[in-house]
Amino acid sequence: MKKTLKLTAITAMISATLGLSTFANAAIEIKAAFNQSDSHPQYEALQAFGQKLNEETDGRYKLSIYPNELLGDQRAALELVQNGAIQMAVVANPLIENYDATYRVIGMPYVYTGPEHQEKVFTSGALDELFASTNRFGFEVLTAYTAGARSMYTKNAPVNTVGDMQGNKIRVMQSETMIKMLSCMGGTGVPMSQGEVYTAIQQGVLDGAENNEITYADLKQYEVAPYFSSTRHLMVPDLVVISSYFINTMSKEDQETLRRLAKESTPEQFKIWNDRISAAMETAKAHGAKFNEVDITPFQENCQPLQQALTDSPAQKALFQKIAALQ
Ligand code: GCU
């Protein structure tokens, strides 16, 4: 009897060890490209998502996030996802607009009344159909993360009026809409990837850029463009995308777990984001940044014609109405 017990214990130990090593070997790596640092709120939200995915799939999947454009800028990363070379990426909405113009609506100037409205739009299911539709390009949008509100920041002087923007060369994300957006704000948009911005301002190729407070501080752009003028002209979503090829290699059950957990990470990400804004501003101020409030009405008026042009097709109109109804 004693012998049998001992044997059973040994067998259990061996199979536990074997089990563990099979577990470790079997974990399939999901590589995710991220263009900002590992202290960014989206990195943290993604990391928590990865941990839950690992637990809920009994260790079958393991998420590895590559920050700071290690896997390329957003445009390159999206192409890698599309052809299945990597599995996931976080990319700003303008990159996806280049594939499907309906996306322009969720990233156009002054479309959300504020963070609460944006969170409702992202978590209400209003975007589900749109997100699933990109499968035809080889990737699926799992969920949207907030990147706050974007404002202008400049090297030489603050921006208070549309006139102040005249002649300013401002970096924008890589899409037609972003170039047009910068014109309606009064300046000239220069499309460029995020990683090049700091040096371009420093060398005088640009007069400034536009982004949210967290990215401004995270990438230390206050060092080269100390005037942060709160125009809050855009609340562009960041989209968490996954390769269609890859997700189809997963069992139906694992696919559903992954989709659900990605959606659940969005309210969490909003929370981390909102908690970090003031600390980012303090960091920037401590390094000499000067923040000024701006009367946004003239900017909003100038951007009206662009808003109309971006809600022209039936699909864009329908989406715009869905968003407006959630105010
Ligand atoms: C924000 C956004 C990024 C984007 C960046 C940019 O930081 O979160 O996804 O890449 O702006 O301006 O390029």
Side-chain angles (χ1 to χ4, degrees):
M1 182 69 175
K2 242 185 172 174
K3 241 186 188 167
T4 328
L5 263 182
K6 221 175 170 180
L7 210 75
T8 317
I10 291 171
T11 320
M13 263 175 64
I14 292 175
S15 48
T17 319
L18 277 180
L20 259 183
S21 65
T22 323
F23 171 110
N25 290 338
I28 295 172
E29 191 187 26
I30 299 179
K31 287 192 178 140
F34 186 56
N35 72 337
Q36 301 179 73
S37 83
D38 60 3
S39 58
H40 190 277
Q42 293 176 357
Y43 184 97
E44 287 180 27
L46 259 192
Q47 207 176 27
F49 154 81
Q51 263 156 21
K52 288 186 190 147
L53 180 70
N54 186 261
E55 282 157 25
E56 292 200 25
T57 60
D58 297 324
R60 284 188 289 283
Y61 294 92
K62 171 180 172 286
L63 181 72
S64 311
I65 314 167
Y66 292 78
N68 302 315
E69 293 192 349
L70 277 172
L71 296 179
D73 67 16
Q74 291 190 339
R75 195 171 10 197
L78 184 57
E79 281 169 17
L80 292 177
V81 169
Q82 225 185 341
N83 60 36
I86 63 169
Q87 293 70 42
M88 281 177 69
V90 180
V91 296
N93 189 64
L95 281 294
I96 312 280
E97 270 173 42
N98 294 332
Y99 293 86
D100 178 353
T102 317
Y103 276 85
R104 289 178 183 162
V105 178
I106 61 171
M108 67 184 190
Y110 300 113
V111 67
Y112 306 102
T113 54
E116 295 82 17
H117 180 208
Q118 191 183 52
E119 186 168 349
K120 251 200 229 163
V121 174
F122 289 3
T123 55
S124 61
L127 305 178
D128 284 0
E129 208 181 303
L130 176 72
F131 285 178
S133 73
T134 56
N135 260 317
R136 66 190 194 281
F137 305 113
F139 59 85
E140 178 178 322
V141 178
L142 292 169
T143 195
Y145 281 171
T146 191
R150 297 173 79 97
S151 290
M152 296 293 164
Y153 45 89
T154 38
K155 191 172 183 170
N156 298 317
V159 171
N160 284 297
T161 63
V162 176
D164 291 342
M165 286 288 291
Q166 209 184 354
N168 269 348
K169 289 196 289 306
I170 304 289
R171 177 267 173 171
V172 293
M173 287 182 278
Q174 296 139 300
S175 88
E176 262 317 296
T177 316
M178 292 297 108
I179 299 172
K180 290 186 185 151
M181 174 282 295
L182 217 283
S183 305
C184 79
M185 295 297 288
T188 307
V190 182
M192 196 180 275
S193 77
Q194 178 65 276
E196 299 170 77
V197 178
Y198 184 105
T199 317
I201 301 177
Q202 193 176 40
Q203 295 178 343
V205 175
L206 294 172
D207 299 297
E210 49 86 52
N211 220 313
N212 59 71
E213 300 84 350
I214 292 179
T215 299
Y216 178 60
D218 200 28
L219 302 179
K220 299 188 169 52
Q221 293 185 351
Y222 46 72
E223 290 175 356
V224 288
Y227 297 99
F228 190 103
S229 309
S230 302
T231 47
R232 300 192 180 90
H233 52 281
L234 288 174
M235 291 190 74
V236 176
D238 278 324
L239 303 175
V240 182
V241 298
I242 191 160
S243 150
S244 304
Y245 163 77
F246 174 72
I247 199 165
N248 286 326
T249 64
M250 300 174 81
S251 71
K252 283 276 169 286
E253 202 191 332
D254 286 345
Q255 287 184 23
E256 287 322 312
T257 305
L258 181 139
R259 290 195 179 100
R260 174 175 54 77
L261 291 175
K263 282 211 161 72
E264 286 174 7
S265 71
T266 290
E268 198 47 43
Q269 190 267 332
F270 265 90
K271 204 169 157 310
I272 311 176
W273 186 277
N274 294 332
D275 289 349
R276 294 286 169 80
I277 300 177
S278 45
M281 288 175 75
E282 288 317 312
T283 305
K285 279 184 196 160
H287 289 87
K290 292 174 188 60
F291 287 80
N292 62 293
E293 279 305 318
V294 178
D295 174 12
I296 61 170
T297 317
F299 290 99
Q300 281 175 319
E301 282 166 6
N302 258 26
C303 288
Q304 273 293 321
L306 177 62
Q307 275 214 0
Q308 268 149 23
L310 296 178
T311 48
D312 196 36
S313 78
Q316 289 170 331
K317 257 196 199 102
L319 183 57
F320 181 63
Q321 278 158 6
K322 268 193 202 168
I323 295 176
L326 288 166
Q327 269 178 41

